[in-house]
């Protein structure tokens, strides 16, 4: 069965996008039991995001490892120790000092990772999650997407700013729900919204 | 009638007295920063760009680091600045911490931590307010408590606009 793209992507005209992200902001709320919210941001540290998150009692882990993760390829799967070292170096989370993550912000990285690396990363993160951990991501729904991942930050008024300077495009893996459930196991699609810019916003939970 | 000779004499005597004042000012002995007093010194201490320190640094005054420090920096109640040429492998405890250079270690800021555009930090931050300038590199965790932020904001009403933008 051939998959048809839901939307089209114009790389040059749409390199900056400000959009509402209701699913993300449904996660970024103080916990009811007044416990600290633990958030992992795979992307780079951005002042606006930190300013926004400072309003919540939280601990934010900033990995700034999107490029590192994208550079990993399937050949690492045959060398599990090397892969583990690479994931530790990228994500800086240690088994002997586990985090208790409530929210994982994946931004658009899922579109750019080899599927086996994606599954390995989820397995690596599992000891740092709990039963209520939710994973947030954007999935491209067009046939083409920018060559590299974007930069994302939370700006005021519950909005997200996404920058992508790539003028070059590449084929998009166009993940549908079943494929995402498989690659992100044990996380499954909880909710999703299709945005006007061609991004589908997803929430995943166990 | 204007007496030009008298005016010239007045002007030259004034210049002489001014130059005498200047020499007395410059001949004032330098402040001894090694003396520990409760009063805060007006000038902060500085570690030069060619200085390499291995060990803990503690004290009772502000510190600017342009060189290399390995160890812990404990300046509670004071400001620490890591300059552009500064390279620090240490945990830092201070009131205000500003990073323009490189830091590998944790920061515990009583009031605020600022990472400037040239800053590169690998470590964890605990502070009520954290500011990251565009271009700054940061990898680690940040812990912030909104209650502490409110108390800091209330205690410092004369903040600049750029300060208010920060977290």
């Amino acid at each position: 069965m051939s998959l048809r793209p839901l939307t089209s992507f114009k790389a040059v005209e749409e390199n900056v996008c400000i959009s509402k992200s209701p699913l993300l902001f449904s996660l970024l709320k103080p916990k009811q039991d007044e416990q600290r919210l633990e958030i992992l941001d795979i992307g780079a540290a951005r002042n606006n995001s930190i300013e926004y998150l400072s309003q919540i009692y939280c601990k934010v882990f900033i990995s700034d490892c999107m490029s590192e993760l994208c550079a990993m390829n399937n050949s690492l799967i045959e060398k599990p120790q090397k892969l583990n070292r690479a994931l530790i170096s990228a994500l800086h989370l240690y088994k002997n000092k586990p985090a208790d993550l409530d929210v994982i912000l994946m931004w658009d990285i899922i579109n750019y990772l080899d599927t086996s690396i994606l599954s390995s990363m989820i397995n690596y993160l599992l000891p740092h999650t709990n039963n209520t951990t939710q994973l947030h991501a954007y999935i491209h729904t067009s046939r083409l997407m920018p060559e590299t991942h974007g930069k994302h930050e939370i700006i005021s008024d519950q909005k997200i700013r996404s920058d992508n300077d790539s003028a070059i495009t590449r084929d998009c893996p166009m993940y549908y729900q079943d494929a995402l459930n498989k690659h992100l196991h044990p996380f499954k699609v909880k909710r999703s919204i299709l945005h006007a810019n061609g991004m589908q916003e997803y929430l995943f939970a166990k | 009638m204007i007496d030009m000779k008298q005016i010239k004499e007045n002007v030259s005597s004034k210049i002489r007295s001014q130059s005498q004042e200047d020499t007395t000012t410059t001949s004032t002995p330098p402040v001894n920063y090694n003396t520990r007093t409760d009063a805060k010194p007006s000038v902060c201490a500085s570690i030069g760009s060619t200085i390499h320190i291995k060990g803990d640094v503690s004290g009772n005054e502000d510190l600017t680091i342009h060189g290399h420090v390995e160890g812990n920096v404990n300046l509670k109640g004071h400001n620490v600045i890591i300059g552009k040429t500064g390279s620090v492998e240490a945990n830092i405890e201070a009131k205000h911490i500003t990073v323009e250079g490189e830091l590998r270690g944790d920061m515990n800021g009583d009031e605020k931590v600022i990472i400037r555009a040239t800053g590169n930090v690998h470590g964890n931050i605990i502070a009520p307010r954290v500011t990251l300038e565009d271009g700054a590199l940061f990898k680690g965790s940040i812990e912030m408590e909104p209650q502490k932020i409110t108390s800091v904001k209330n205690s410092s009403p004369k903040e600049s606009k750029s300060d208010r933008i920060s977290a």
Side-chain angles (χ1 to χ4, degrees):
Chain A
M1 193 184 92
S2 65
L3 300 172
R4 292 180 62 191
L6 295 168
T7 49
S8 62
F9 170 75
K10 293 168 193 165
V12 179
E13 293 164 31
E14 296 173 11
N15 57 358
V16 176
C17 176
I18 293 172
S19 60
K20 284 196 172 181
S21 197
L23 298 185
L24 173 64
F25 288 98
S26 71
L27 298 176
L28 303 179
K29 285 177 180 170
K31 278 182 160 180
Q32 285 183 341
D33 52 3
E34 294 185 353
Q35 291 293 304
R36 188 178 63 187
L37 193 72
E38 292 202 9
I39 302 163
L40 170 65
D41 185 347
I42 303 276
R46 305 295 288 259
N47 193 45
N48 284 331
S49 300
I50 289 165
E51 186 190 354
Y52 182 87
L53 294 172
S54 72
Q55 297 164 44
I56 308 164
Y57 177 35
C58 68
K59 182 174 183 177
V60 193
F61 297 86
I62 296 167
S63 300
D64 191 5
C65 64
M66 290 173 92
S67 301
E68 273 174 86
L69 291 171
C70 289
M72 295 180 194
N73 56 43
N74 281 331
S75 65
L76 274 174
I77 296 297
E78 292 155 15
K79 298 164 190 165
Q81 284 187 336
K82 201 174 173 186
L83 174 64
N84 194 49
R85 277 201 300 274
L87 287 169
I88 290 172
S89 165
L91 291 155
H92 276 264
L93 293 170
Y94 302 92
K95 268 186 185 172
N96 57 359
K97 201 182 169 188
D100 186 19
L101 300 172
D102 299 293
V103 178
I104 301 172
L105 305 178
M106 305 279 278
W107 305 112
D108 61 347
I109 191 77
I110 290 175
N111 302 283
Y112 296 91
L113 292 184
D114 285 340
T115 52
S116 50
I117 298 291
L118 180 58
S119 300
S120 302
M121 188 180 78
I122 296 296
N123 281 332
Y124 174 82
L125 288 173
L126 276 181
H128 305 284
T129 62
N130 56 50
N131 290 334
T132 58
T133 304
Q134 297 198 60
L135 207 146
H136 179 270
Y138 296 108
I139 304 292
H140 283 283
T141 58
S142 54
R143 200 177 289 281
L144 294 172
M145 65 179 187
E147 175 72 10
T148 56
H149 62 82
K151 293 173 189 166
H152 309 271
E153 67 180 318
I154 300 166
I155 55 173
S156 55
D157 305 316
Q158 306 263 310
K159 285 177 183 169
I160 298 292
R161 180 191 161 106
S162 303
D163 295 69
N164 200 316
D165 300 331
S166 294
I168 308 165
T169 57
R170 64 191 253 189
D171 287 340
C172 174
M174 291 205 297
Y175 292 121
Y176 280 72
Q177 201 163 313
D178 287 348
L180 289 169
N181 286 342
K182 184 184 163 193
H183 300 311
L184 298 174
H185 178 79
F187 290 93
K188 288 176 184 166
V189 175
K190 186 182 173 190
R191 284 183 70 192
S192 81
I193 294 174
L194 179 63
H195 291 287
N197 62 356
M199 288 288 212
Q200 187 128 8
E201 186 183 6
Y202 276 96
L203 270 193
F204 301 90
K206 285 183 188 172
Chain B
M1 205 177 135
I2 301 165
D3 185 356
M4 288 304 288
K5 202 178 176 185
Q6 184 63 43
I7 290 171
K8 274 183 182 175
E9 272 178 16
N10 285 344
V11 169
S12 57
S13 66
K14 216 172 184 180
I15 289 168
R16 254 183 274 130
S17 64
Q18 267 183 356
S19 64
Q20 272 176 351
E21 272 176 23
D22 287 346
T23 47
T24 49
T25 316
T26 49
S27 63
T28 310
V31 182
N32 183 5
Y33 296 118
N34 293 328
T35 312
R36 285 199 168 195
T37 57
D38 288 338
K40 289 178 184 177
S42 56
V43 183
C44 80
S46 176
I47 294 170
S49 58
T50 59
I51 306 292
H52 191 122
I53 294 175
K54 268 190 182 182
D56 296 349
V57 177
S58 62
N60 204 18
E61 59 189 278
D62 298 347
L63 175 68
T64 305
I65 301 168
H66 297 291
H68 185 87
V69 175
E70 268 180 75
N72 292 319
V73 178
N74 192 339
L75 293 171
K76 266 205 156 188
H78 296 277
N79 304 331
V80 172
I81 299 169
I82 300 173
K84 281 180 188 173
T85 57
S87 157
V88 176
E89 289 175 51
N91 297 330
I92 301 176
E93 207 165 337
K95 187 170 81 175
H96 279 238
I97 304 167
T98 306
V99 184
E100 293 170 356
E102 210 167 301
L103 170 69
R104 280 180 182 269
D106 299 342
M107 286 187 274
N108 196 337
D110 289 340
E111 285 188 9
K112 194 171 183 181
V113 168
I114 301 169
I115 305 174
R116 299 264 182 235
T118 52
N120 184 355
V121 175
H122 275 233
N124 305 312
I125 301 174
I126 300 175
R129 306 172 76 193
V130 177
T131 301
L132 272 136
E133 288 186 356
D134 279 351
L137 295 173
F138 174 74
K139 201 162 183 162
S141 70
I142 301 174
E143 269 185 82
M144 294 172 283
E145 282 187 55
Q147 288 173 345
K148 274 192 176 178
I149 295 166
T150 315
S151 66
V152 170
K153 275 182 181 171
N154 290 341
S155 65
S156 56
K158 285 180 181 177
E159 282 178 356
S160 66
K161 197 181 175 187
S162 61
D163 279 352
R164 284 199 302 274
I165 290 167
S166 63

